Amino acid sequence: VYNGSDASYVGDAPTKAQDVQYTYTFVGWNTEVGSESATDSILSDVKSDLTVYAAFSKTLRSYTITFVNGDDSSTQTVEYGKVPVYSGSVPTKAPTAQYTFTFSAWGPTLVPVTGDAIYTAQYSMTVNKYTVQWKNNGDVIETDLNVPYGTTPSYNGELPLKDSDERFTYTFAGWASPQGDDVGA
């Protein structure tokens, strides 16, 4: 290049590889290393030796964050460094005979975004409790409230009686249903 002439660059536009935080776009030339802006007339009317550097603007990267609840999932795009926020309704899980589930948190713990991430709904479990009724000839003779699933209920009253009839005298032999099985089983 001769003094007083316009310098020019011949070749493909310079590139800079993206990193975990930013993508980079070539914007022109500057005399400062690492500049994010170009000096418009830097290559015109060069009068002495000149070192120029590619200038790049940077754009904060975004990542895909997935929230999983059982078979359902939702995704969102979140910028690097921001903590994702779940914006859907409170996750639910259908109860079983043994447990009722209550949403407790997302796992792992939500942290500032540094890449794609998957968070799964976590639940606390409460053992279901049941009411057990003891009946004799269709009449309720004892009610046990809040009996936890999986425990064996016990009858605490007097032995049930059935009046004798012309043919038979009856003696209590045990409970017909559920025959001492654990509650809920």
Side-chain angles (χ1 to χ4, degrees):
V1 175
Y2 297 99
N3 287 342
S5 66
D6 289 342
S8 62
Y9 173 76
V10 179
D12 294 333
T15 59
K16 183 175 180 179
Q18 68 183 2
D19 57 35
V20 73
Q21 188 172 6
Y22 295 107
T23 57
Y24 298 93
T25 304
F26 175 69
V27 293
W29 301 100
N30 199 311
T31 56
E32 296 179 31
V33 175
S35 177
E36 291 184 35
S37 62
T39 303
D40 292 336
S41 62
I42 196 168
L43 297 179
S44 65
D45 199 25
V46 175
K47 300 207 185 313
S48 63
D49 289 343
L50 179 67
T51 302
V52 293
Y53 302 94
F56 295 92
S57 66
K58 59 185 176 183
T59 304
L60 203 55
R61 287 185 66 184
S62 292
Y63 290 93
T64 300
I65 305 302
T66 304
F67 290 95
V68 178
N69 180 32
D71 293 336
D72 296 327
S73 66
S74 64
T75 60
Q76 57 183 259
T77 302
V78 180
E79 286 184 336
Y80 177 92
K82 293 188 178 179
V83 176
V85 176
Y86 179 72
S87 58
S89 57
V90 175
T92 59
K93 183 175 181 177
T96 64
Q98 185 173 8
Y99 295 110
T100 297
F101 301 94
T102 304
F103 174 74
S104 58
W106 291 104
T109 302
L110 298 175
V111 296
V113 170
T114 59
D116 293 342
I118 298 173
Y119 295 97
T120 304
Q122 306 295 305
Y123 295 90
S124 60
M125 300 182 298
T126 303
V127 173
N128 292 329
K129 295 181 179 178
Y130 293 90
T131 298
V132 176
Q133 290 185 330
W134 303 89
K135 294 183 178 182
N136 182 29
N137 293 321
D139 297 327
V140 176
I141 58 173
E142 180 177 307
T143 300
D144 297 333
L145 302 174
N146 298 317
V147 179
Y149 177 94
T151 60
T152 303
S154 61
Y155 176 72
N156 299 312
E158 294 180 22
L159 286 180
L161 301 175
K162 183 174 181 177
D163 293 335
S164 299
D165 60 29
E166 295 174 3
R167 297 182 61 197
F168 299 103
T169 301
Y170 299 95
T171 304
F172 179 74
W175 297 102
S177 174
Q179 299 181 359
D181 289 342
D182 293 341
V183 170

